[in-house]
Amino acid sequence: MRKRFLALLLACSAAMAFTSGCKDGSAPGQKAAQTQEAERGSAADGQKTSREEEAKGNPNEETEVVIATYRDAVQGSGDAFYCWEGTYVWEALTTNNGGVIEPWLAQSWEHNDACTEWTFRLRDDAFFTDGIQFNADTCLENIDRWTHGITSTYTSLSVEKSFPNLDKMEKVDEFTVKFTFTQPITTLEYVLSDYGSPMFSPGCFDKETGVISDYAVGTGPYKITDHVDGEYVLLERNDDYYGEKGKVKYFRIRCIPDAQTRISALKAGEVMGLADNGAITMAGAKNLCDTDDNFSMDSTPSHMTEYIMFNCNNEFLADRRMREALNLATDRESVCGVLYNGLLEPAYSFLSAQSVFHLDLQGEYDLERAKALAREVLDEKGADHADMTMIIRSSTASDYNCKAVAEYLKQVYQELGVFFSIEIVDSSIYKERQQEGSYDMTLTVFGMNNGDPASTFKQYFASDGNSNHSLNYNYYNEKIDELVAKAPALADVEERSRIYDEIQTVLFEDSACIPICYQINVNIHNKAIEHYRGRTFGVGLPTISWTE
């Protein structure tokens, strides 16, 4: 039985490799359209600048490095973060570096025994690129900005989320701030990491609305000098940066939504590297590196995980036994080994392996047990089989190999009497379908944007969780509600960690969702540049340089 499904996996893998990186992977008409799109993209970027022409054949630090992503690195005015962290424009108070929380704009912090008073000492040498110094005043102005309910395509940014139960905040001195809470919070440094506390110059956002009016201005090693929506963002090195300066003065991050066009641009030398989660499939990257010695691939752990999420309003999926059956029938080892070229690790815990609070759970693949459980549920409901619909966002389907995974699981789940159709829809329709509840399962990829999972657990699995309701997961577990409510009030970090372990264990045992694999960042680049290394968010732009 397993051999038959492995053969199916190999077939899916071969088809995927053919369409994701081979020269003749497109039909003639499609190939022509992609060529035209690539030409339009090149025209949109304009002619080569004089500095590029002068350095042609002999690149130096002022030679522009072009990198392509599948989405715009800049969401623009109105977005809480304006641009993603990987542009190196803004910085936060703390950062999650591979599961370890480290200082960033905050040099150190301490709290009282009750964890109700937190004091942060800030850097005294950081300046925004408009010349304004980062200090206690600008830090508090940023936090006040979050009270306006500003939203983002990444994650929400609010005082309630970053500073739960905040009573007051105050300036102690020019580079020290203090926060007082009505309830203990033991993991504030985790909550504030990365997207939990972005700092911008007060000169770039409206104090009444919190909206960034023009380009985002941060303290990072790079600054935005030009942006065309949906086409590119031009970054210039911040030569006044307090830390180590970037090796290259200019980066252009091009937005190329089509996967084949991105690869064509890389092969043609129009871009030097592909970055961001899903910028290239693993099969495509491996194929290109195996067939062309001009390219190299860097793979680093990601905070993203691939999941099947359920709509528990479905009469079959409301039964834990059916969810467990699907869980047991999901052969993660084979999916990771075949469809993901052995680069991914099987996932059983809801939290990413990059989370400080990740619990290393291990499950099993047992198709016979899965069949028995599914049959129990079907027989009790007087059904021969169950018909379902799985929806997948189109970008996720193509950029994360999720289409191939779904097609494989479709065949496997039929052995259980579960027949589902796969519907791949664009982002707007995907969101509508979730909000309407007109789906039964979704295959998706998402991660955590700060180091503390409390808000994520509540969002997805608590009875009153926002996403649990608005996205129609409709999951209910009294024990989860109890644990999610209890965790934020625990003053002891170890005790809180044990609660997070228990939450992960309950979600696993209840098959609340099906984690499939922990993703990695697959970053491929032309060997004309070096030190192209992935980070939790994006690639490390400051270390990249032209090869000597």
Side-chain angles (χ1 to χ4, degrees):
M1 182 66 70
R2 192 166 192 171
K3 288 183 178 178
R4 177 157 63 88
F5 288 128
L6 279 171
L8 174 63
L9 270 168
L10 289 168
C12 291
S13 179
M16 180 177 61
F18 182 74
T19 58
S20 61
C22 300
K23 289 184 177 180
D24 300 319
S26 305
Q30 180 185 9
K31 196 169 183 178
Q34 289 168 347
T35 301
Q36 292 171 2
E37 183 175 346
E39 290 172 351
R40 287 196 298 270
S42 298
D45 275 345
Q47 299 299 316
K48 296 289 185 181
T49 63
S50 59
R51 65 174 180 272
E52 289 175 308
E53 288 296 340
E54 291 170 0
K56 189 174 181 181
N58 185 28
N60 56 49
E61 68 166 27
E62 294 205 358
T63 306
E64 181 179 276
V65 173
V66 184
I67 294 173
T69 59
Y70 78 91
R71 57 180 175 174
D72 199 336
V74 173
Q75 280 60 53
S77 181
D79 187 276
F81 305 94
Y82 190 89
C83 54
W84 46 288
E85 185 178 325
T87 58
Y88 288 81
V89 168
W90 57 262
E91 300 177 304
L93 295 178
T94 66
T95 183
N96 180 0
N97 186 6
V100 178
I101 301 301
E102 296 179 347
W104 205 352
L105 287 177
Q107 286 190 313
S108 64
W109 49 86
E110 60 187 25
H111 56 74
N112 63 357
D113 291 341
C115 292
T116 55
E117 296 179 359
W118 285 72
T119 301
F120 285 78
R121 292 178 178 81
L122 311 175
R123 299 192 68 97
D124 61 4
D125 56 355
F127 287 80
F128 296 102
T129 52
D130 60 4
I132 296 175
Q133 185 169 22
F134 173 72
N135 55 24
D137 290 322
T138 57
C139 176
L140 296 180
E141 283 185 76
N142 269 273
I143 297 169
D144 183 68
R145 169 180 175 254
W146 308 344
T147 64
H148 298 292
I150 44 180
T151 60
S152 173
T153 56
Y154 296 114
T155 183
S156 59
L157 182 62
S158 67
V159 169
E160 292 77 14
K161 185 174 181 179
S162 291
F163 293 92
N165 302 306
L166 179 65
D167 181 35
K168 64 178 179 179
M169 57 184 182
E170 54 190 309
K171 172 183 175 181
V172 177
D173 59 41
E174 188 174 4
F175 297 104
T176 309
V177 291
K178 181 179 179 180
F179 304 99
T180 304
F181 300 87
T182 58
Q183 298 290 330
I185 177 168
T186 62
T187 55
L188 187 58
E189 70 267 52
Y190 300 92
V191 177
L192 297 180
S193 64
D194 301 295
Y195 284 91
S197 62
M199 293 287 142
F200 296 97
S201 169
C204 77
F205 60 80
D206 187 289
K207 292 177 175 56
E208 297 299 322
T209 65
V211 173
I212 295 174
S213 54
D214 196 1
Y215 293 159
V217 177
T219 57
Y222 284 89
K223 57 186 177 181
I224 299 172
T225 58
D226 189 20
H227 173 238
V228 176
D229 187 40
E231 294 187 20
Y232 68 86
V233 58
L234 184 61
L235 304 173
E236 181 178 337
R237 183 175 61 206
N238 173 13
D239 287 326
D240 295 320
Y241 185 58
Y242 63 84
E244 186 174 352
K245 310 295 188 296
K247 304 297 183 185
V248 172
K249 188 165 186 177
Y250 303 99
F251 280 99
R252 185 182 299 266
I253 303 179
R254 283 184 53 187
C255 174
I256 306 179
D258 180 73
Q260 188 61 43
T261 305
R262 285 194 300 274
I263 295 175
S264 297
L266 182 67
K267 288 180 177 180
E270 296 174 12
V271 302
M272 288 293 104
L274 304 183
D276 198 17
N277 295 307
I280 185 171
T281 64
M282 292 170 202
K286 186 175 186 303
N287 174 271
L288 187 54
C289 291
D290 287 347
T291 58
D292 194 328
D293 192 49
N294 290 314
F295 301 101
S296 179
M297 180 177 72
D298 170 72
S299 60
T300 54
S302 168
H303 69 296
M304 308 289 276
T305 303
E306 186 172 322
Y307 306 90
I308 292 177
M309 300 295 289
F310 300 117
N311 178 351
C312 291
N313 271 350
N314 177 288
E315 63 172 324
F316 300 103
L317 296 176
D319 193 309
R320 182 198 59 79
R321 293 171 298 172
M322 181 60 81
R323 299 195 303 270
E324 183 181 357
L326 298 177
N327 204 346
L328 288 168
T330 303
D331 187 354
R332 295 162 173 84
E333 293 282 352
S334 295
V335 168
C336 292
V338 179
L339 293 183
Y340 289 111
N341 299 101
L343 294 172
L344 298 189
E345 294 294 328
Y348 294 96
S349 175
F350 175 75
L351 288 186
S352 162
Q354 292 302 293
S355 170
V356 178
F357 298 101
H358 168 75
L359 178 63
D360 186 19
L361 295 166
Q362 295 298 318
E364 60 180 336
Y365 167 71
D366 189 338
L367 188 59
E368 295 309 311
R369 172 65 176 155
K371 288 179 182 179
L373 285 170
R375 179 45 52 192
E376 285 180 17
V377 177
L378 292 171
D379 287 347
E380 287 180 13
K381 296 185 180 299
D384 291 329
H385 66 278
D387 290 316
M388 301 186 190
T389 300
M390 173 184 280
I391 60 172
I392 310 175
R393 184 186 284 111
S394 56
S395 59
T396 304
S398 61
D399 296 333
Y400 285 96
N401 302 356
C402 284
K403 181 180 179 182
V405 174
E407 290 172 344
Y408 163 66
L409 293 177
K410 179 178 180 178
Q411 300 300 316
V412 174
Y413 291 174
Q414 285 181 5
E415 297 284 320
L416 313 184
V418 175
F419 296 80
F420 69 81
S421 60
I422 302 170
E423 296 185 23
I424 298 174
V425 296
D426 66 31
S427 294
S428 60
I429 300 299
Y430 179 81
K431 185 176 181 179
E432 288 177 10
R433 294 286 295 274
Q434 286 193 298
Q435 291 174 337
E436 295 168 354
S438 55
Y439 73 99
D440 300 298
M441 295 182 283
T442 176
L443 187 59
T444 185
V445 179
F446 60 85
M448 294 179 61
N449 289 301
N450 68 61
D452 189 343
S455 61
T456 303
F457 286 139
K458 178 177 177 63
Q459 178 182 359
Y460 289 106
F461 299 110
S463 297
D464 59 349
N466 179 58
S467 294
N468 194 15
H469 283 283
S470 65
L471 303 182
N472 277 288
Y473 298 137
N474 300 303
Y475 177 76
Y476 172 74
N477 185 304
E478 187 175 351
K479 185 65 175 178
I480 291 294
D481 285 349
E482 175 190 329
L483 294 170
V484 166
K486 183 179 180 180
L490 295 175
D492 183 76
V493 176
E494 292 301 321
E495 188 177 357
R496 191 167 184 170
S497 182
R498 285 193 292 272
I499 293 296
Y500 291 154
D501 286 351
E502 191 172 355
I503 290 174
Q504 292 172 82
T505 300
V506 172
L507 293 175
F508 169 73
E509 292 176 346
D510 202 31
S511 294
C513 64
I514 302 179
I516 298 175
C517 49
Y518 302 121
Q519 288 284 335
I520 61 172
N521 296 319
V522 178
N523 304 299
I524 190 169
H525 66 95
N526 192 306
K527 290 180 180 178
I529 59 174
E530 58 186 352
H531 308 302
Y532 194 83
R533 299 288 183 265
R535 299 288 303 273
T536 302
F537 302 100
V539 295
L541 298 186
T543 63
I544 295 172
S545 63
W546 289 99
T547 305
E548 294 183 1

